[in-house]
Amino acid sequence: MRVWRQISHRSPSWQASDALLAVPLALIAAIVVADVLTGPHVPLGPLLIVAPAITASFASPFLTALVGAIAVAALLGVGAGFHLLTTESVGAQIISLVVVSVVVTVFRYLRERHARELEQVRRVSEAAQRVVLRPLPRRIGPLRVASVYLAAQEEALIGGDLYAAVRTSVGTRLIIGDVMGKGLTAMGDASLLLGAFREAAHRKAALPELMAYLERSVCWNLAEPTEPGQEGECFITAAIVDIPDALSQAQMVSCGHPPPLLLRDRQVVTLKAGAPAPPLGLGELSTPEYRVDTFLLEPGDLLLLYTDGVVEARDPKGVFYPLAARAVSWAQDSPMALVHHLRADLLDHVGGHLADDAAVVALQRTAGP
């Protein structure tokens, strides 16, 4: 009864693997029958080692040990039937079977423990991602919004790319950026910029004033006192877009960030900045001037913001990902569908693994409020 309770409290995969469990059990039964029929002159007992080895490939450590115990019991039964338990040959077979069963059970346990630790790391990373990189709502004022984030480090889920949206009294402000580097260090730098943007986006009326504030914040925080000589080595490319609710004319300030794409009537327009400022964090090396670029964002238009991890992604032959050419294929889709297609297509282009973090934000102005 106690054993049955342990089995019933296994993971939900028990119901999926109980059919596979019949394979090693049937194998044990077939070997025992064949061993009995062939007699003691053709020992088939060593073949029972295969049963726990097969079980370890799909079952839990408990079930692996259980199958190993059944195999040992079957070998003991055959040896007792032939009155060979006291012989060296059968004794060696029993010891070998016990050792193999213990080894595969231990390895299965270690594999499951590693999988649990990795899953815990992923859950913590996902929680950190939701705190630092808050999910964008699907609707922000008159805008339909969708986003996707692909981290280069699979166990981290988040790295140095960032994006955020803030509602003001007259419209919506969005930021997208890319911190030099990747992983947890870049995530910390990204959180500093996002916090400064969310705090100042309501107070700074003009985009140049907002960008200057972010520049000062980045310079204060990225060069830590414990890291002498790091000035000028840490920087963040970023772009801020201001989209009024009542007007079709939007504004943008770019600090070394890749230009957004405007999709209109199955055509792509690259919104290049007239005079882009240097990346944030390099203000002490020069006197940046933040110039505002304007463009029309009319109902039905799609605006695509992205980081360089998208356009610099290479396929196995070294070819860069053609974002503009691919995006125009889905220009008539919704932002959510567009982002979904781009994510799948980008991963297919690179073979499933990115060398750098990548983020995409798609938004569309609607005719409604």
Side-chain angles (χ1 to χ4, degrees):
M1 187 67 179
R2 184 176 180 182
V3 173
W4 174 251
R5 288 179 180 176
Q6 293 181 358
I7 296 177
S8 63
H9 284 82
R10 297 294 102 185
S11 63
S13 61
W14 161 256
Q15 294 182 353
S17 63
D18 54 357
L20 291 176
L21 190 62
V23 175
L25 295 178
L27 185 61
I28 292 175
I31 293 175
V32 169
V33 172
D35 200 4
V36 171
L37 294 179
T38 56
H41 301 291
V42 183
L44 300 179
L47 296 179
L48 292 172
I49 293 177
V50 178
I54 293 177
T55 307
S57 64
F58 63 86
S60 64
F62 174 79
L63 293 178
T64 302
L66 182 61
V67 171
I70 294 174
V72 171
L75 184 58
L76 288 174
V78 172
F82 289 136
H83 305 288
L84 298 176
L85 287 179
T86 58
T87 62
E88 294 182 359
S89 176
V90 174
Q93 293 177 22
I94 294 174
I95 294 175
S96 300
L97 183 56
V98 170
V99 171
V100 172
S101 299
V102 171
V103 170
V104 296
T105 300
V106 170
F107 272 97
R108 180 63 191 187
Y109 169 76
L110 294 176
R111 181 180 178 182
E112 284 202 354
R113 187 178 69 175
H114 175 73
R116 288 194 300 268
E117 292 175 350
L118 182 59
E119 181 62 26
Q120 184 178 6
V121 170
R122 293 182 65 87
R123 286 197 299 267
V124 172
S125 298
E126 185 176 0
Q129 181 187 37
R130 291 186 176 274
V131 171
V132 176
L133 199 65
R134 302 172 188 171
L136 296 179
R138 295 191 177 184
R139 185 86 180 196
I140 307 177
L143 304 176
R144 300 166 64 191
V145 184
S147 61
V148 65
Y149 192 103
L150 297 172
Q153 295 184 357
E154 297 180 1
E155 70 278 6
L157 293 181
I158 184 174
D161 289 5
L162 59 98
Y163 53 77
V166 172
R167 284 289 291 168
T168 66
S169 58
V170 296
T172 303
R173 284 180 170 176
L174 297 100
I175 185 173
I176 187 166
D178 184 4
V179 181
M180 182 195 67
K182 57 187 177 181
L184 297 179
T185 302
M187 183 181 67
D189 297 338
S191 65
L192 294 174
L193 179 59
L194 288 175
F197 171 75
R198 295 184 180 116
E199 188 271 336
H202 300 278
R203 298 189 293 106
K204 306 299 182 181
L207 287 188
E209 183 182 357
L210 173 59
M211 194 64 83
Y213 174 84
L214 297 180
E215 166 65 29
R216 293 192 298 270
S217 177
V218 170
C219 288
W220 292 336
N221 291 290
L222 289 188
E224 297 291 341
T226 56
E227 298 175 340
Q230 293 292 322
E231 294 82 4
E233 297 185 11
C234 298
F235 59 87
I236 304 174
T237 65
I240 295 181
V241 179
D242 193 352
I243 304 175
D245 291 343
L247 302 176
S248 297
Q249 192 175 52
Q251 296 182 334
M252 178 186 69
V253 173
S254 177
C255 292
H257 199 75
L261 300 179
L262 181 64
L263 308 180
R264 176 185 296 160
D265 298 330
R266 292 190 176 276
Q267 294 183 351
V268 180
V269 179
T270 302
L271 303 177
K272 294 183 179 180
L280 299 175
L282 302 181
E284 295 183 355
L285 304 179
S286 62
T287 304
E289 182 179 355
Y290 303 106
R291 296 185 179 180
V292 177
D293 294 280
T294 61
F295 60 94
L296 291 179
L297 185 66
E298 300 175 344
D301 292 348
L302 271 167
L303 184 64
L304 194 63
L305 309 172
Y306 56 93
T307 59
D308 60 3
V310 178
V311 292
E312 294 180 359
R314 300 172 182 250
D315 64 6
K317 296 181 180 179
V319 179
F320 290 109
Y321 181 70
L323 176 61
R326 300 294 176 86
V328 73
S329 304
W330 306 296
Q332 301 299 318
D333 294 342
S334 65
M336 183 63 67
L338 174 62
V339 165
H340 174 76
H341 289 310
L342 285 177
R343 180 185 187 278
D345 192 53
L346 178 61
L347 290 177
D348 182 68
H349 180 80
V350 300
H353 180 71
L354 291 169
D356 191 12
D357 303 324
V360 176
V361 177
L363 58 91
Q364 183 181 46
R365 182 188 286 277
T366 63

